[in-house]
Amino acid sequence: LLSISARPAQGGVADARELDGSGSGTAPAQTDSDSLKRKLVRLGTSRLYWALTFAFVVCGVTTTGFMESHIVAFAEHKGMSAQHGAFVFGLLSAFNGIGILGAGVLADRYHRVYLLASIFFVRALCYGALLAVTKYWQLLLFGVFFGLADYSVVPLVISLVAGYCGADVVGLGVGVLLLWHSVGAAAGSWMGGVAFDNAGDYDHAIWICLAACLAATSALVFGGWGVDEQWRRRSEVPAGTAKDDEKP
């Protein structure tokens, strides 16, 4: 990381001279505010980035917000012990790591937008299954599958922001997404508590999370339609042929 920070070009990260395309050896004169404005405009005019933003709000609601705040209370509500709920939470967290690694490998091989949409769809299926959970072993199975579909969104999202919006905007782009994820997390935690206090169970909150995951799936499918293939075609052009391909 220190090497990449000190010499971005050698670390595979384009610097200001490369992104400017001038090759002059000097970065274009610009103020920090101008640079930030251009990056925000680039993000704000990206159809895919808006889809990612909505999906990350939903991600915050359905993971850190509802699930990680209420999984122990849910287990107790179903007649299990707090220790059972805590173990399921730990199991879910362990499979988070497996999901992240697996998604990272798949991101280099397959359509990343549709992979991300598939993760949210699997998350919706997990919430549907949660409605029928009454026994501890069922909650354990839920923890495994939900864990695989939890943090596995991270490598896909970072890869999409870098590949489609630009390597120079990854920090800002992912930072904004994480901001909205935090907003969603706060809303999801609050929503779960209010739903339980009003209805005496978590069914309403689970249905809301299920519907939100399906909405995120749809937003990614339509918001990213054709985007990933275009980026892959540009990235796979052999060196020295890009200019010829751009000719009418």
Side-chain angles (χ1 to χ4, degrees), residues 33-53:
S33 60
D34 289 339
S35 176
L36 177 60
K37 182 178 180 180
R38 278 197 293 271
K39 289 179 180 179
L40 289 173
V41 169
R42 194 192 316 169
L43 293 172
T45 54
S46 167
R47 172 167 50 94
L48 175 61
Y49 190 77
W50 280 106
L52 291 175
T53 301

Side-chain angles (χ1 to χ4, degrees), residues 119-150:
I119 290 173
F120 278 97
F121 185 71
V122 170
R123 205 181 281 183
L125 293 179
C126 288
Y127 270 110
L130 189 61
L131 290 167
V133 167
T134 57
K135 301 182 183 301
Y136 179 47
W137 68 267
Q138 295 172 333
L139 193 59
L140 287 172
L141 284 178
F142 168 83
V144 170
F145 286 101
F146 192 87
L148 292 173
D150 193 352

Side-chain angles (χ1 to χ4, degrees), residues 192-213:
V194 170
F196 187 86
D197 288 344
N198 290 336
D201 58 41
Y202 284 109
D203 286 0
H204 288 87
I206 293 172
W207 277 110
I208 291 172
C209 289
L210 189 158
C213 288

Side-chain angles (χ1 to χ4, degrees), residues 92-240:
L92 185 156
S93 300
F95 275 87
N96 273 337
I98 298 174
I100 290 173
L101 290 174
V105 172
L106 293 175
D108 294 332
R109 300 183 180 183
Y110 300 104
H111 195 297
R112 295 165 299 168
V113 177
Y114 295 162
L115 279 173
L116 189 58
S118 298
I119 290 173
F120 278 97
F121 185 71
V122 170
R123 205 181 281 183
L125 293 179
C126 288
Y127 270 110
L130 189 61
L131 290 167
V133 167
T134 57
K135 301 182 183 301
Y136 179 47
W137 68 267
Q138 295 172 333
L139 193 59
L140 287 172
L141 284 178
F142 168 83
V144 170
F145 286 101
F146 192 87
L148 292 173
D150 193 352
Y151 289 2
S152 53
V153 302
V154 174
L156 293 167
V157 168
I158 295 175
S159 177
L160 283 167
V161 173
Y164 185 68
C165 298
D168 63 320
V169 81
V170 173
L172 177 63
V174 175
V176 171
L177 291 177
L178 290 174
L179 169 65
W180 284 110
H181 189 280
S182 298
V183 172
S189 182
W190 171 82
M191 178 270 297
V194 170
F196 187 86
D197 288 344
N198 290 336
D201 58 41
Y202 284 109
D203 286 0
H204 288 87
I206 293 172
W207 277 110
I208 291 172
C209 289
L210 189 158
C213 288
L214 291 178
T217 301
S218 300
L220 288 166
V221 169
F222 292 106
W225 189 271
V227 165
D228 212 26
E229 293 94 336
Q230 293 170 7
W231 177 83
R232 284 192 184 278
R233 284 197 294 269
R234 291 198 304 270
S235 65
E236 292 171 359
V237 173

